Every structure is written in structure tokens, then in C-alpha cells.
Amino acid sequence: MRWYHNLSIPIKLRAIVMITCGVALMVAAVLFTLYDRATFLREKTQDLIASAKMIGSNSAGRAEFSRHKAGRELLNALQAKQHVVNACIYDSDGTVFAKYSRSPHPCRFPPPLLPEKMEPESLRGTWSCSRHRPAW
């Protein structure tokens, strides 16, 4: 029944040390994984915000002069970002000015939010949304 009573003290000490080290390694691995995931999501969000700001500042003149081809070319630069699947630029009226899609399936873009309800960025599940108003 109590098989461990017959074990020698050095074997018991080794077992205690090994169990303690194993538990400490497992706790450290879980904490590193959680920290890495949180850091990765924050960095991806910051990268998306930076890309949205660059495209927003570069698209202001194109949208003002209705240069749709130039707007599409600007969004095609997102091909370098593998995590960006769909993107669009809205004009001042709130209609889609230019679209970019990496997926073969068409994407319906929601209408833009009113400026007072606009969040700079949001992360929902497996996709994120970044909205920035260009300086017209």
C-alpha cells in the first residue's frame, strides 16, 4: 500500500526535486506561451494601425480627385503583408472608393462608422479592424 515507505531517502529526494522541477517548467511554459500570444497580438495590431495610417495619409489626395486606379494601386501594396486579407478605402461620402482582396471570395465591406463612434482599432476573434480618418 505505502510503497514509498520502503524507498531510500536519496531516491525520495530525487523524486521530490524532479517533480518540483517538472511543475516549475510547466508553469513557466504556460506563462511564456500566454505572454508570447499577448505580445504577438499587440504587435500585429500595432502593425495594422501603422499600415492603415500610411494608406490613409497617402489616399487622401487620390480620393479627393477620384483617382480609383491610384487607390487600388495603393492598396495592392498590402500584398507584402500576408496577414491582411481584405482592405478598402472609403471616400468622404462613406462609399467604398477602392478595394483590396487576397481571397478569391468577394468581401462585403461594412459602411464606415460615424466619426464620434469610430474606434481607432479593435480586435475581434481571428480578425481585426482598423479605421482611420485621413486628413482631407
Side-chain angles (χ1 to χ4, degrees):
M1 301 225 182
R2 296 188 175 197
W3 55 270
Y4 55 87
H5 283 291
N6 295 333
L7 296 176
S8 66
I9 291 177
I11 291 177
K12 289 178 184 178
L13 288 174
R14 277 190 227 132
I16 290 171
V17 169
M18 289 184 65
I19 290 171
T20 305
C21 289
V23 169
L25 284 173
M26 288 179 65
V27 168
V30 168
L31 290 176
F32 280 131
T33 302
L34 292 175
Y35 174 77
D36 192 41
R37 186 180 189 303
T39 304
F40 174 76
L41 290 175
R42 186 172 50 247
E43 287 176 6
K44 283 293 183 187
T45 303
Q46 292 299 325
D47 182 50
L48 180 64
I49 292 169
S51 296
K53 285 181 180 179
M54 286 188 295
I55 288 176
S57 64
N58 288 334
S59 66
R62 291 171 173 87
E64 195 171 320
F65 295 109
S66 297
R67 295 176 58 197
H68 294 281
K69 183 179 177 187
R72 282 191 299 273
E73 289 174 359
L74 181 64
L75 285 177
N76 281 337
L78 291 173
Q79 288 176 346
K81 304 242 181 237
Q82 296 294 322
H83 60 277
V84 176
V85 180
N86 295 308
C88 75
I89 299 173
Y90 295 106
D91 62 8
S92 59
D93 299 331
T95 58
V96 176
F97 172 71
K99 295 180 186 180
Y100 165 77
S101 181
R102 184 183 304 273
S103 68
H105 307 292
C107 178
R108 294 184 58 213
F109 293 100
L113 293 174
L114 297 173
E116 59 271 5
K117 294 183 180 181
M118 217 172 193
E119 296 177 32
E121 73 275 342
S122 58
L123 191 62
R124 298 182 185 103
T126 58
W127 62 277
S128 61
C129 177
S130 181
R131 295 180 170 144
H132 294 278
R133 294 183 62 80
W136 297 104

